[in-house]
């Protein structure tokens, strides 16, 4: 008896330390900290390994939970008794359920009831069919399971749990898959999200029914549970919604949300969870309902997301997957019969979900390929599926083997979603053909359309000062598309932003002054009001590996002649350059490779200082280093436009190879074009213009070139070509081939710590291109909104 009492003795909260002879792992807090660290490290490593397969993080978290359970690492009794002893599971489950409670609140925040009301008949029919057929097939499958591996379980609740388990679509996981595949705001994506939202609400209703039926009391008790749950939902809309709306109204755009409002809302989430747990339909329902009724207009919902998501999704929620994994023993699935049942359940889930969705989609006149893609997307499982299964396990509706089979079914169905969609559905990016794809053009009076990309506030002042310097005096002026490049993360707030996209998967416009909560575009919109430059501010949220697709596609559809990209290294106070990461360099390299127009990479050393410079205060010295070739001619053409600004002085330094030097007798086919460009520049720009200085220097080698550059005097901005015919000037190898032989040298801190550099790459229509956009002449497109649409296309 003493041994038994010792075994169930509750753990102390904290330990006295190893020097007092205590093992910290025998106390609740140190053990919980260790558990959280192990879970977070394992799931993040798995997520990193699965990243090339473009799997959502939930897959890594499910697999991590299973690995820590009795299916793998947990088979070691020493590991389980040390890291996950039985007396610690109550604390673990409590922390996991608190994380789950707030995560379901976040899911509710992502779900906008107005989108449900706007759901068309087609999406509603697809949602109903996507629920009904797998629910019916799930009930049919349950009879097979009851006669094999699930003998003795209560029939009614088991039928409902099986139906719900097979008919669920994971709304948050689906949103992340769609966002990563750039489908979230396409017609297909919007239909999938609408159907998934209806499916999500229906699944929670069915789950409430299943929980009520799984109680041990009489049917009358189950009826009371259901009616009281309905009463709670009605009361929440009648009493809680006005309170939350009042707090949202008192949180205007541009002002910080008061801490008391955040605290009150999170307390309401906990209180609602307490009420629904008291009713008997699980605390998660209360949190989910509160998330749904929070007003989605204004910054209130977005701030709640940002305050809660990192702690919950990063630290506490993974504990739920471990809690589930500790109950999952894949080794209980043994023998041909059990594995055959797993195949049956997976096949039934796929046939029911995909088949029902495809049939309803075809009836709604959705093309076959899109219908099959929609069916695969709707077959996504995830956290909600695990919640259903765990509730069923806790209520003794599912035994160990059935539970393991259904967990593997959820894992397999979600794992295959992304590869299947990528294989089936490859939406064509289409755009109109256009002629002005470079700054150098036959008619310099044509409007210059330019796309300026930026990652953070560090890039904005120089970008705006560059725009001010580039506006020229021509009648048609300049149009700038300022694109904020945001990395798509697993965070709910990223999906919340993508939801605000206008249509068809392209980067979206910020229409209001403080558009869509993106503070960074305000600087560009303010500059537009104070200048003659026409600016369209936009935001692209994308995975870093595919971000170049957004840049290139948008540039083509906006008929841009020049894309300006920020260099991947940031200028620091002491003069050196600090890299943002190789991923950002690869974005620039991919844009250069795929761009439909000229590209410029801006090495920013504070052109004009750390703030926007007024037009009357612009005073820059700009230098063009001209060696010859297409890219140097582009740099000269851009400088010709910039020198029209009254505050800019231009120095063009042409390097002429000495007789016998490398490049002197190369027979370059572009030599005639170089001479024509320089003659035009001297005749129409330099002659009689005190702001322009043209100089030619003989250069025999690298030393002559470097000395000539250093002798030019103070300069704010250098313009150089990327593919200039010059030997590399740097004494050491650089890791920036996208800057070319001259730009790489100018970007070194040994050369300068104050002069910015703009490296130009002119579009070459004769070169081999890796086009991401199919040019089609017969499409209807509004250039200033992000959306082409085939003239004969159908809106589903």
């Amino acid at each position: 008896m003493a041994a038994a009492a010792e075994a169930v003795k509750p753990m102390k909260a904290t330990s006295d330390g190893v020097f007092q002879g205590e093992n910290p792992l025998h106390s609740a807090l140190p053990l919980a900290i260790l558990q959280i660290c192990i879970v977070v490290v394992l799931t993040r490593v798995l997520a990193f390994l699965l990243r090339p397969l473009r799997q959502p993080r939930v897959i890594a978290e499910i697999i991590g939970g299973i690995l820590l359970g009795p299916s793998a690492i947990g088979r070691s009794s020493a590991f389980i008794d040390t890291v996950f002893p039985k007396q610690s599971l109550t604390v673990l489950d409590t922390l996991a359920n608190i994380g789950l409670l707030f995560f379901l609140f976040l899911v509710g925040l992502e779900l906008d009831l107005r989108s449900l009301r706007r759901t068309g008949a087609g999406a509603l029919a697809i949602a109903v069919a996507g629920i009904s057929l797998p629910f019916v097939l799930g009930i049919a499958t349950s009879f097979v399971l009851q006669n094999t591996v699930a003998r003795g379980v209560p029939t009614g609740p088991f039928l409902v749990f099986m139906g719900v388990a097979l008919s669920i679509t994971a709304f948050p996981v689906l949103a992340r898959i769609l966002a990563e595949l750039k489908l979230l705001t396409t017609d297909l994506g919007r239909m999938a999200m609408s159907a998934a939202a209806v499916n999500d609400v229906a699944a929670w209703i069915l789950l409430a029914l299943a929980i009520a039926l799984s109680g041990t009391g009489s049917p009358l008790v189950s009826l009371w549970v259901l009616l009281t749950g309905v009463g709670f939902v009605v009361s929440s809309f009648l009493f809680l919604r006005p309170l939350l709306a009042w707090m949202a109204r008192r949180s205007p755009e541009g002002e910080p949300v008061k801490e008391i409002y955040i605290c009150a809302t999170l307390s309401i989430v906990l209180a609602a969870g307490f009420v629904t747990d008291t009713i008997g339909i699980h605390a998660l329902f209360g949190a989910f309902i509160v998330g749904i009724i929070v007003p989605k207009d204004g910054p209130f919902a977005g701030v709640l997301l940002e305050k809660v998501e990192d702690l919950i999704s990063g630290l506490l929620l993974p504990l739920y997957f471990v809690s589930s994994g500790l109950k999952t023993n894949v080794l209980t699935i043994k023998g041909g019969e059990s594995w055959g049942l797993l195949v049956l359940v997976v096949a039934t889930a796929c046939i029911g979900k995909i088949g029902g969705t495809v049939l309803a989609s075809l009836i709604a006149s959705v093309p076959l390929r899109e219908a099959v893609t929609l069916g695969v997307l709707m077959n996504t499982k995830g956290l909600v599926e695990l919640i259903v299964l765990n509730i069923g396990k806790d209520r003794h509706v599912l035994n160990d083997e059935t539970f393991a089979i259904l967990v593997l079914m959820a894992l397999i169905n979600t794992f295959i979603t992304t590869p299947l969609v990528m294989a089936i559905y490859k939406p064509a990016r289409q755009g109109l053909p256009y002629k002005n794809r470079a700054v150098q053009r036959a008619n310099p009076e044509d409007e210059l359309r330019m796309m300026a990309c930026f990652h953070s506030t560090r890039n904005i002042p120089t970008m705006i000062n560059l725009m001010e310097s580039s506006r020229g005096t021509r009648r048609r002026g300049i149009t700038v598309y300022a694109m904020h490049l945001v990395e798509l993360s697993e965070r709910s707030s990223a999906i919340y932003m993508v939801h605000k996209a206008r249509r068809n998967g392209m980067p979206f416009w910020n229409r209001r002054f403080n558009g869509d909560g993106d503070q960074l575009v305000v600087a560009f919109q303010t500059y537009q009001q104070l200048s003659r430059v026409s600016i369209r501010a936009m935001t692209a949220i994308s995975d870093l590996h595919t971000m170049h697709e957004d840049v290139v596609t948008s540039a083509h559809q906006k008929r841009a002649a020049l894309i300006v990209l920020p260099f991947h290294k940031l200028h620091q106070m002491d003069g050196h350059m600090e890299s943002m990461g190789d991923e950002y360099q690869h974005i620039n390299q991919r844009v250069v490779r795929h761009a439909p127009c000229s590209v410029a990479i801006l090495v920013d050393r504070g052109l004009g200082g750390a703030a926007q410079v007024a037009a009357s205060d612009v005073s820059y010295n700009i230098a063009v280093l001209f060696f010859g070739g297409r890219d140097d001619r582009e740099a000269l053409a851009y400088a010709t436009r910039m020198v029209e600004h009254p505050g800019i002085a231009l120095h063009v330094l042409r390097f002429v190879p000495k007789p016998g030097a490398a490049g002197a007798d190369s027979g370059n086919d572009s030599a005639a074009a170089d001479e024509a460009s320089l003659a035009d520049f001297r005749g129409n720009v330099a002659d009689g213009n005190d702001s322009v200085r043209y100089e030619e220097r003989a250069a025999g080698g690298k030393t002559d070139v470097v000395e000539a550059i250093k002798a030019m005097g103070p300069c704010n901005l250098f313009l150089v070509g990327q593919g200039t015919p010059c030997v590399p000037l740097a004494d050491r190898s650089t890791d920036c081939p996208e800057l070319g032989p001259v730009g790489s040298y100018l970007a070194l801190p040994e050369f300068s710590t104050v002069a910015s550099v703009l490296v130009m790459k002119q579009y070459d229509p004769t070169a081999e291109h890796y086009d991401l956009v199919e040019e089609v002449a017969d499409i209807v497109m509004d250039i200033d909104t992000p959306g082409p649409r085939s003239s004969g296309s159908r809106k589903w």
Side-chain angles (χ1 to χ4, degrees):
M1 290 294 290
E6 181 68 24
V8 297
K9 182 180 177 180
M11 304 178 79
K12 288 200 318 178
T14 59
S15 74
D16 294 329
V18 292
F19 296 110
Q20 300 294 333
E22 281 197 12
N23 185 344
L25 298 184
H26 292 166
S27 301
L29 180 60
L31 184 57
I33 292 172
L34 177 66
Q35 291 169 343
I36 291 173
C37 292
I38 290 175
V39 172
V40 169
V41 170
L42 177 61
T43 54
R44 292 305 171 114
V45 169
L46 289 172
F48 176 78
L49 295 176
L50 292 171
R51 195 69 191 149
L53 300 178
R54 304 185 70 172
Q55 293 296 327
R57 198 168 74 199
V58 68
I59 291 290
E61 290 169 333
I62 293 174
I63 294 175
I66 292 174
L67 290 178
L68 289 173
S71 304
I73 304 174
R75 288 177 60 79
S76 166
S77 58
F79 174 80
I80 283 291
D81 293 341
T82 303
V83 182
F84 295 103
K86 287 186 178 179
Q87 60 268 35
S88 74
L89 296 185
T90 301
V91 175
L92 176 70
D93 288 342
T94 302
L95 288 173
N97 277 281
I98 289 175
L100 189 61
L101 188 83
F102 281 106
F103 183 78
L104 266 295
F105 168 66
L106 297 181
V107 173
L109 277 180
E110 290 185 51
L111 194 62
D112 192 348
L113 286 181
R114 290 173 301 182
S115 65
L116 293 184
R117 289 197 295 268
R118 291 194 297 265
T119 300
L124 185 62
I126 291 169
V128 171
I131 297 170
S132 304
L133 186 56
F135 190 86
V136 171
L137 292 179
I139 291 176
T141 307
S142 67
F143 288 110
V144 178
L145 292 175
Q146 271 196 310
N147 291 320
T148 50
V149 297
R151 293 188 177 93
V153 299
T155 302
F158 184 67
L159 298 182
V160 178
F161 269 99
M162 281 297 299
V164 173
L166 267 63
S167 61
I168 277 180
T169 295
F171 181 81
V173 180
L174 176 63
R176 279 150 186 78
I177 291 175
L178 287 170
E180 180 158 320
L181 296 178
K182 302 185 189 300
L183 298 176
L184 186 60
T185 52
T186 61
D187 286 334
L188 178 72
R190 283 202 310 277
M191 179 164 282
M193 289 300 290
S194 296
V198 175
N199 193 308
D200 211 32
V201 173
W204 283 105
I205 294 172
L206 291 172
L207 180 56
L209 174 65
I211 292 174
L213 291 175
S214 63
T216 56
S218 66
L220 187 61
V221 172
S222 299
L223 180 61
W224 271 113
V225 169
L226 276 178
L227 292 177
T228 312
V230 172
F232 167 78
V233 173
V234 173
S235 300
S236 298
F237 278 88
L238 291 178
F239 301 112
L240 286 182
R241 186 177 178 84
L243 175 62
L244 293 167
W246 178 81
M247 289 190 283
R249 285 196 304 272
R250 293 178 65 88
S251 305
E253 200 83 59
E255 296 290 332
V257 177
K258 292 183 179 179
E259 182 267 343
I260 186 66
Y261 295 161
I262 301 293
C263 182
T265 305
L266 299 183
S267 299
I268 288 172
V269 173
L270 293 172
F274 174 79
V275 171
T276 50
D277 192 76
T278 303
I279 292 171
I281 53 172
H282 210 286
L284 305 179
F285 283 92
F288 181 67
I289 294 299
V290 174
I292 285 179
I293 64 177
V294 169
K296 306 304 188 288
D297 294 326
F300 190 62
V303 170
L304 284 171
L305 276 172
E306 292 174 1
K307 296 286 185 184
V308 176
E309 63 183 344
D310 289 332
L311 175 64
I312 299 303
S313 300
L315 291 181
L316 296 184
L317 187 63
L319 293 179
Y320 188 78
F321 293 95
V322 175
S323 176
S324 175
L326 292 174
K327 304 172 190 173
T328 308
N329 189 356
V330 176
L331 300 178
T332 59
I333 308 174
K334 50 190 175 184
E337 181 183 73
S338 294
W339 287 105
L341 289 172
L342 173 61
V343 173
L344 172 66
V345 171
V346 172
T348 303
C350 292
I351 292 170
K353 202 71 174 177
I354 298 174
T357 303
V358 168
L359 288 175
S361 300
L362 293 176
I363 294 172
S365 302
V366 177
L368 178 61
R369 176 172 292 188
E370 283 81 350
V372 175
T373 306
L374 198 54
V376 174
L377 288 168
M378 296 298 290
N379 196 35
T380 303
K381 308 295 181 185
L383 180 63
V384 180
E385 174 86 1
L386 282 189
I387 294 170
V388 172
L389 300 181
N390 276 281
I391 292 174
K393 182 83 161 55
D394 294 340
R395 301 254 172 164
H396 306 293
V397 176
L398 304 176
N399 61 21
D400 289 347
E401 191 169 352
T402 310
F403 180 78
I405 287 173
L406 293 176
V407 168
L408 287 183
M409 178 271 293
L411 183 64
I412 293 168
N413 283 4
T414 307
F415 192 90
I416 64 176
T417 299
T418 302
L420 282 179
V421 171
M422 292 176 66
I424 297 171
Y425 189 65
K426 297 175 182 175
R429 297 180 178 88
Q430 296 182 337
L432 289 166
Y434 67 105
K435 62 176 183 177
N436 287 330
R437 296 174 182 260
V439 179
Q440 185 186 25
R441 56 189 63 178
N443 183 8
E445 295 296 323
D446 285 347
E447 175 192 36
L448 176 63
R449 302 176 74 90
M450 168 179 161
M451 176 165 286
C453 302
F454 60 99
H455 296 291
S456 68
T457 53
R458 290 283 300 270
N459 309 128
I460 292 178
T462 295
M463 283 290 185
I464 290 180
N465 293 332
L466 183 66
M467 291 176 202
E468 172 61 28
S469 306
S470 309
R471 60 185 174 90
T473 58
R474 295 176 173 87
R475 181 174 60 84
R476 298 199 63 184
I478 180 173
T479 296
V480 178
Y481 298 93
M483 178 182 279
H484 182 197
L485 304 178
V486 181
E487 181 183 4
L488 175 69
S489 67
E490 292 280 343
R491 303 172 80 186
S492 298
S493 56
I495 306 300
Y496 186 77
M497 286 180 68
V498 180
H499 272 310
K500 294 177 179 291
R502 289 194 74 243
R503 64 168 186 253
N504 86 342
M506 290 299 300
F508 61 92
W509 300 111
N510 294 279
R511 289 293 185 187
R512 294 177 297 165
F513 180 75
N514 197 21
D516 297 316
D518 189 350
Q519 303 290 337
L520 297 182
V521 302
V522 176
F524 290 100
Q525 293 168 332
T526 304
Y527 169 63
Q528 176 180 254
Q529 295 174 357
L530 300 175
S531 70
R532 296 191 303 108
V533 178
S534 176
I535 296 182
R536 304 289 188 271
M538 54 200 300
T539 303
I541 305 177
S542 180
D543 186 87
L544 292 180
H545 296 289
T546 59
M547 189 171 281
H548 68 284
E549 296 177 6
D550 281 343
V551 177
V552 169
T553 308
S554 299
H556 191 289
Q557 294 183 345
K558 304 307 156 199
R559 301 184 185 181
L562 178 66
I563 300 172
V564 181
L565 299 168
F567 189 46
H568 71 281
K569 295 182 180 180
L570 296 176
H571 181 62
Q572 304 300 312
M573 294 296 291
D574 61 358
H576 81 280
M577 305 290 283
E578 182 175 329
S579 177
M580 297 170 61
D582 292 341
E583 298 90 349
Y584 292 91
Q585 181 182 19
H586 296 156
I587 291 172
N588 290 352
Q589 292 173 344
R590 294 186 190 108
V591 171
V592 170
R593 188 179 310 120
H594 295 284
C597 59
S598 294
V599 180
I601 298 177
L602 177 63
V603 181
D604 179 13
R605 291 194 177 106
L607 178 65
Q612 175 190 336
V613 178
S616 58
D617 297 332
V618 169
S619 180
Y620 302 146
N621 292 317
I622 294 177
V624 175
L625 306 180
F626 193 96
F627 295 86
R630 176 182 294 275
D631 296 344
D632 281 10
R633 294 196 297 272
E634 185 76 351
L636 182 64
Y638 193 53
T640 301
R641 185 179 188 96
M642 294 180 75
V643 80
E644 294 176 12
H645 196 292
I648 289 180
L650 173 63
H651 183 182
V652 176
L653 179 59
R654 183 193 184 188
F655 291 94
V656 180
K658 292 180 179 178
D665 301 308
S666 60
N668 191 342
D669 294 337
S670 67
D674 292 342
E675 293 298 335
S677 294
L678 290 168
D680 180 70
F681 173 77
R682 289 192 298 265
N684 297 324
V685 181
D687 290 350
N689 191 339
D690 295 336
S691 299
V692 180
R693 178 185 172 193
Y694 177 79
E695 182 183 0
E696 292 189 358
R697 296 285 290 269
K702 179 174 72 173
T703 304
D704 293 339
V705 174
V706 171
E707 288 178 354
I709 294 174
K710 289 183 176 180
M712 293 181 72
C715 184
N716 300 102
L717 178 67
F718 283 95
L719 277 77
V720 297
Q722 185 216 44
T724 189
C726 175
V727 295
L729 301 182
D731 292 327
R732 56 186 174 86
S733 62
T734 67
D735 55 353
C736 308
E738 67 273 17
L739 297 183
V742 179
S744 297
Y745 169 70
L746 298 178
L748 293 175
E750 298 93 280
F751 168 72
S752 174
T753 59
V754 295
S756 297
V757 184
L758 193 67
V759 180
M760 309 285 293
K761 173 70 175 176
Q762 188 182 64
Y763 177 78
D764 184 359
T766 64
E768 180 181 2
H769 291 285
Y770 304 92
D771 294 329
L772 296 176
V773 181
E774 177 189 1
E775 293 191 350
V776 181
D778 61 342
I779 62 171
V780 179
M781 183 170 67
D782 179 359
I783 299 300
D784 284 333
T785 54
R789 184 160 53 90
S790 298
S791 54
S793 69
R794 171 188 293 271
K795 295 290 285 185
W796 301 333

